[in-house]
Amino acid sequence: MLVLTRKKGESIIIQDHIEITILGVEGDSVKVGISAPKHVDIFRQEVYLSIKEANKESVSTSAGDLSALLERIRPQK
């Protein structure tokens, strides 16, 4: 992990397109502003992990799910 020290109002540039600016510091909280192209997804870590877990659950299947699917697509006699 790269560790940088910045003061309020200073920025970090990532790959010419993403700018992270320190807007303020209060106690344990740091307020940052992020300027990035629209196609770059930006999430708080807890939101990102929640989305990742939900996506993982949505693609996992159980034996019961497969049996139900096979029953639905099996030709009726």
Side-chain angles (χ1 to χ4, degrees):
M1 174 189 300
L2 173 65
V3 178
L4 302 170
T5 300
R6 302 276 63 202
K7 294 178 181 173
K8 182 179 175 184
E10 293 181 336
S11 298
I12 298 167
I13 305 296
I14 301 172
Q15 294 186 344
D16 296 330
H17 304 293
I18 300 170
E19 180 176 5
I20 299 172
T21 303
I22 305 303
L23 300 176
V25 179
E26 286 187 32
D28 292 345
S29 297
V30 177
K31 184 181 283 187
V32 297
I34 303 169
S35 297
K38 295 253 184 224
H39 68 277
V40 175
D41 294 329
I42 301 170
F43 301 102
R44 292 184 180 102
Q45 183 184 32
E46 62 274 18
V47 172
Y48 175 78
L49 293 174
S50 176
I51 291 169
K52 193 174 171 182
E53 185 63 30
N55 287 340
K56 188 176 172 183
E57 287 176 13
S58 70
V59 297
S60 69
T61 57
S62 68
D65 292 340
L66 289 175
S67 294
L69 176 63
L70 288 172
E71 190 63 35
R72 292 183 81 187
I73 62 174
R74 186 172 291 150
Q76 300 296 319
K77 294 180 183 178

